[in-house]
Amino acid sequence: MALVEINNLHKSFGSNHVLRGIDFSVEQGEVVCVIGPSGSGKSTLLRCVNLLEVPQEGQVIVRGEDITDPDCHLDAARASIGMVFQQFNLFPHLSVLTNCAVAQTTVLKRKPEEAEKIARANLDRVGLTDKVHAFPAQLSGGQQQRVAIARALSMDPALMLFDEPTSALDPELVGDVLTVMRKLALEGMTMLVVTHEMAFARDVADRVVFMDGGVIVEQGPPAEVIGNPQEERTKLFLKRVLDPTHVQDN
Amino acid sequence: MTSPADTVVRKGLSPRKRAQRSRLIQYAILIALVLFALFSANWGQIGSVFFKPEFIKATFQDGVLQALVKTVEYTAGAFVIGLAGGTLLALMRLSSVGPYRWIATAYIEFFRGLPAIVVFIAFSLLPLAFEGMTIPFDPYGVVWLALGIVASAYMAEVIRAGIQAVPKGQIEAARSLGMSPGLALRKIVLPQAFRIVLAPLTNDLILLVKDSSLVFIIGVAATGYELTGFGRDLANTYSNLTPIVVCGFCYLIITLPLGILVRRLEARAEKSR
């Protein structure tokens, strides 16, 4: 059974029909990168997986549980789905350590000592052992994003969602975050990543999904989707992304 | 080649010279007014009406410090009630349940639009209207309630603005970690909201210090006098304004440090932005 299964997903914001019938699944241990032009609905799709956006139609089944069902214990389901945001969204009033511990103690009801131990272990994993007592504002963007990853990992999630995790970073800080994500992938974490980092998608993803206009246009192994795209829209997008200086000749 | 600026007429004083001359004139007017005040005023009489040393001494002996303490006590209790009520009202205004929003809006608009003195008059008449009615912690209970009811309406709007100023991403992050709406509110949103409104809330506290002067409307016993009631009583007794002046300075002892605190908080908020 797939870890995430999405059936016929539709989402509109007012008259803007953002997702137009998405069928899609993620297997246990799989790393899936979602690429596509801005406005293609890829972030909305990701945000539907933990129901930060509520779809108008369709099902989102995570670990056999339909989270679009009103009877679903959504908070419990969310606790097992880690999410990393483009803008980090660390809690500015809490220290790095507390950022990673607060949901453990309040949601998972772990003892404070246990939560702290787990938080420290995960901060160690992202290479920020020396920053446990710092506050988010004292950290660089790359460090903040790695804390955000540690915060999500501290909940022992079955699945990690990454919503353009490096798009808000200065170029020289992108590498640190991608290195952490690469390590996670190697450790077997199930990951769904919305990204513009084509090199990351090519090297790390098991599968690449190309979205445009609210539908999945093409998907498959990175060598096929990025290396040898079949659809015209995919080709055009990749040409623009891989060679931004290319001037389109009409 | 001619630019459009070349056609601007250049005659008379340059703008900078003109500004300099205007400043000089303003200083001259100020000095003239001060000199006039210095020579025309009857300083002896002013001193004996407003700053008579023996009455200053008498004001202290009669217990201006106790009155100062009372003012602080009345204000502090009302602030606590205002803060609790204001937070509750703010949450009601942001509720997804329509009637809660309506009730909170009606309350806030009503008590913000009313002069505080009207509320105090109403409270002073309550025991007459409802015979035998008592409010606990006399006289504190009545004062805290009357002041707190008005303060909560003001603070509700400030706190609501603070809650809404917390970025949406904070709530999303909290919810994505599995926190319930209530938990996210308590642990993530409210702590940040109160940080944001610390300066404006301190401003409300300053207003509250001054509003506590309305306590004399309720007619508390002499032992319950705060600064204004105490000063007025003493000024009547001595037929001299010195006690009122002393009490006025006592208000400044409370409000000036608070004002400095507000500016510090604002500067800090500006820096962390």
Side-chain angles (χ1 to χ4, degrees), chain A residues 47 78 89-91 93 155, chain B residues 169-170 172 175-176 187:
Chain A
R47 290 162 60 84
R78 277 177 174 154
N89 294 349
L90 291 181
F91 305 132
H93 61 299
M155 304 294 283
Chain B
Q170 291 292 311
E172 287 184 349
R175 298 303 308 277
S176 80
K187 293 282 176 185

Side-chain angles (χ1 to χ4, degrees), chain A residues 168-212:
Chain A
L169 296 177
D170 290 337
E172 77 270 23
L173 302 174
V174 169
D176 292 346
V177 172
L178 290 183
T179 305
V180 168
M181 289 170 63
R182 198 180 293 255
K183 208 170 88 188
L184 271 183
L186 286 176
E187 287 167 13
M189 175 62 74
T190 311
M191 292 162 64
L192 183 54
V193 187
V194 170
T195 187
H196 291 296
E197 300 289 337
M198 289 304 142
F200 178 84
R202 196 165 43 206
D203 297 350
V204 181
D206 298 309
R207 181 154 50 104
V208 172
V209 174
F210 174 70
M211 281 182 72
D212 192 15

Side-chain angles (χ1 to χ4, degrees), chain B residues 66-67 70-71 74 139-140 143 215 220-227 229-230:
Chain B
Q66 281 92 301
K70 281 275 183 271
T71 291
Y74 290 150
Y140 293 105
V143 177
V215 164
V220 291
T223 50
Y225 276 167
E226 41 61 69
L227 283 171
F230 172 81

Side-chain angles (χ1 to χ4, degrees), chain A residues 32 54 78 84 129 178 208 212 215 217 225 234 238:
Chain A
V32 179
V54 183
R78 277 177 174 154
V84 175
T129 313
L178 290 183
V208 172
D212 192 15
V215 294
V217 176
V225 177
T234 320
L238 286 170

Side-chain angles (χ1 to χ4, degrees), chain A residues 23-34:
Chain A
D23 292 290
F24 168 73
S25 65
V26 182
E27 299 295 328
Q28 173 83 43
E30 203 181 12
V31 177
V32 179
C33 284
V34 184

Side-chain angles (χ1 to χ4, degrees), chain B residues 47-168:
Chain B
S48 68
V49 171
F50 290 103
F51 305 101
K52 202 164 190 177
E54 61 203 78
F55 286 142
I56 293 177
K57 203 174 148 214
T59 309
F60 276 93
Q61 278 166 349
D62 284 348
V64 73
L65 291 180
Q66 281 92 301
L68 178 69
V69 170
K70 281 275 183 271
T71 291
V72 172
E73 285 172 351
Y74 290 150
T75 309
F79 187 70
V80 171
I81 291 182
L83 203 58
T87 307
L88 183 69
L89 284 165
L91 292 176
M92 283 171 71
R93 277 215 56 172
L94 297 171
S95 165
S96 55
V97 181
Y100 281 144
R101 284 201 305 273
W102 306 331
I103 293 168
T105 308
Y107 178 98
I108 291 167
E109 293 303 333
F110 183 75
F111 283 105
R112 265 201 324 182
L114 225 57
I117 196 166
V118 174
V119 178
F120 274 87
I121 290 172
F123 265 89
S124 70
L125 298 177
L126 271 184
L128 284 181
F130 300 95
E131 210 154 330
M133 184 182 142
T134 52
I135 297 172
F137 302 113
D138 187 67
Y140 293 105
V142 192
V143 177
W144 286 342
L145 211 55
L147 270 177
I149 280 173
V150 179
S152 63
Y154 281 99
M155 291 187 192
E157 285 298 89
V158 172
I159 295 168
R160 179 186 60 84
I163 291 173
Q164 284 178 319
V166 175
K168 203 162 167 270

